[in-house]
Amino acid sequence: YWAGVQTCRNIFSVDSGYRMHDNQMINHFPNHYELSRKDLLVKNIKRYRKDLEREGNPLAEKTESNNSNGNRYLYLDFVPTTFVLPADYNMFVEEYRKFPLSTWIMKPCGKSQGAGIFLINKLSKLKKWSREAKGPFHPQIAKESYVISRYIDNPLLIGGKKFDLRLYVLVASFRPLKAYLFKQGFCRFCTVKYDTSVTELDNMYVHLTNVSVQKHGGEYNTLHGGKWSVQNLALFLEGTRGKEVTDRLFGAISWLIVHSLRAVAPVMASDRHCFECYGYDIIIDNALKPWLVEVNASPSLTSTTVNDRILKYKLIDNILSVVLPPDGVPDVRWN
């Protein structure tokens, strides 16, 4: 089956009692949302760090620094400081008061394509939102939860514009962890030049790279779709910043992916009938440090441009050639 996430949940639900045969495979893990829901991802990464710290693992090493980026882990500091609202409201306020000049980004936990996202730089804005959202601070309305993250306000700009990376990661198994990174990711650019001024705080064309947002902008170019290949990004960075730092950046991105997968592996229902292609959204700041923004369980496979179509065709072809035996017939024992 190549199925949507809802179909998957139905097939694996306890009520359906369905058992898959050895020659049936499906393109999602039963609880893929442990990685793709913004609140659960953060929770799993926090737990992963704690576990490594408890074991005295050198990966959990910390540095002494008082910058606003919070955790100060040497190797595991790849998600911006994040809180889940309403549950962590008091913790958020405490953090906010330490760095009152910072900007935060609010996102609904279960939505995609840039829906419902907004930026705040004043606590009063958040209080106003909580009043207007008809009391989402009642925990019984669980579906109304939001994550609030420190906004990466020093993104690497190219041509004055903000962009993020979309990378594709195929997980063939979580136990043992087997993951593949598709070489042909791409950058998604904003159509409007980046501007940190308060007046532009509500202009999503400046801040959100989602194509579903940008394509409605007046500056949107349908030929290149505001997209640039990862190879072009690497060449640009090698030319402007040097090969060494570029290699270090791409190494850091690979480790970010590995750590995020290791963080969810213990809780993921690793069924041998399952594989999954995740769309990773990563932002690079101007110190060339990568930050994980979110992970999508159903990355868009529709194409906006000719290059996009070629890339996604290759992506699907690659996925199938990895998860299926050479004869093309699904066989979970082969996997």
Side-chain angles (χ1 to χ4, degrees):
Y1 293 101
W2 188 279
V5 288
Q6 202 47 55
T7 312
C8 262
R9 279 181 217 168
N10 297 342
I11 288 177
F12 285 111
S13 81
V14 188
D15 314 331
S16 79
Y18 188 77
R19 289 285 166 272
M20 289 185 130
H21 297 291
D22 280 358
N23 59 346
Q24 291 180 311
M25 291 180 78
I26 194 160
N27 62 318
H28 292 287
F29 287 92
N31 57 342
H32 59 83
Y33 44 80
E34 292 284 352
L35 182 63
S36 56
R37 252 188 83 106
K38 301 171 184 75
D39 49 346
L40 296 178
L41 171 67
V42 169
K43 189 185 83 180
N44 286 317
I45 287 173
K46 284 178 180 171
R47 193 199 55 243
Y48 173 67
R49 287 172 178 160
K50 289 262 166 20
D51 291 348
L52 290 180
E53 255 177 275
R54 207 175 300 119
E55 294 162 15
N57 191 311
L59 282 173
E61 201 181 317
K62 287 183 165 177
T63 56
E64 287 306 313
S65 92
N66 290 325
N67 65 357
S68 61
N69 282 337
N71 295 317
R72 305 182 293 283
Y73 283 91
L74 256 181
Y75 309 109
L76 301 177
D77 184 28
F78 56 86
V79 282
T81 308
T82 300
F83 301 96
V84 180
L85 298 181
D88 303 338
Y89 181 73
N90 294 340
M91 281 153 68
F92 163 70
V93 172
E94 198 178 309
E95 179 71 18
Y96 177 87
R97 297 221 159 102
K98 280 188 221 159
F99 307 101
L101 294 173
S102 51
T103 302
W104 295 78
I105 185 162
M106 289 270 292
K107 302 177 178 180
C109 289
K111 290 201 174 107
S112 62
Q113 299 187 325
I117 295 181
F118 59 96
L119 296 153
I120 65 164
N121 59 353
K122 291 190 180 67
L123 209 50
S124 55
K125 254 191 159 179
L126 182 62
K127 289 179 174 152
K128 179 171 181 262
W129 168 82
S130 77
R131 280 197 306 274
E132 287 173 3
K134 302 190 182 55
F137 287 93
H138 297 309
Q140 64 264 32
I141 318 177
K143 63 177 187 298
E144 272 293 323
S145 58
Y146 271 70
V147 287
I148 186 161
S149 309
R150 187 185 306 285
Y151 184 61
I152 306 294
D153 56 6
N154 60 329
L156 176 67
L157 302 179
I158 295 181
K161 292 177 180 173
K162 178 180 165 175
F163 68 94
D164 74 350
L165 281 180
R166 162 55 62 88
L167 298 174
Y168 297 100
V169 177
L170 168 65
V171 179
S173 150
F174 274 102
R175 285 192 292 284
L177 182 56
K178 271 194 211 170
Y180 303 79
L181 173 61
F182 187 55
K183 284 204 174 96
Q184 301 186 323
F186 55 88
C187 308
R188 305 180 296 183
F189 281 85
C190 287
T191 51
V192 180
K193 288 201 169 179
Y194 185 69
D195 183 348
T196 52
S197 72
V198 179
T199 48
E200 291 295 345
L201 210 57
D202 296 331
N203 183 347
M204 288 303 135
Y205 295 122
V206 172
H207 298 285
L208 293 190
T209 53
N210 309 55
V211 175
S212 46
V213 171
Q214 293 293 340
K215 67 181 180 196
H216 300 297
E219 307 286 317
Y220 184 72
N221 176 320
T222 49
L223 276 176
H224 56 65
K227 290 177 178 173
W228 223 34
S229 72
V230 165
Q231 283 75 11
N232 276 348
L233 173 68
L235 284 171
F236 174 83
L237 290 175
E238 281 172 20
T240 50
R241 300 284 190 104
K243 182 147 175 46
E244 198 183 320
V245 288
T246 304
D247 289 347
R248 200 180 309 139
L249 165 69
F250 281 96
I253 289 173
S254 299
W255 276 110
L256 173 159
I257 292 167
V258 169
H259 287 308
S260 65
L261 292 172
R262 284 187 57 186
V264 300
V267 291
M268 198 61 85
S270 189
D271 188 302
R272 60 196 188 130
H273 299 88
C274 303
F275 64 93
E276 192 150 25
C277 175
Y278 293 102
Y280 270 71
D281 293 347
I282 292 168
I283 280 190
I284 301 165
D285 69 18
N286 56 15
L288 291 201
K289 175 176 169 59
W291 296 91
L292 177 57
V293 178
E294 64 174 324
V295 184
N296 297 279
S298 294
S300 160
L301 294 175
T302 51
S303 50
T304 49
T305 66
V306 176
N307 285 344
D308 216 18
R309 184 178 167 76
I310 296 168
L311 175 138
K312 285 169 181 171
Y313 186 92
K314 282 183 182 159
L315 170 69
I316 296 171
D317 186 54
N318 270 235
I319 291 172
L320 296 178
S321 63
V322 170
V323 298
L324 297 180
D327 64 4
V329 179
D331 180 0
V332 295
R333 285 172 307 203
W334 178 82
N335 187 25

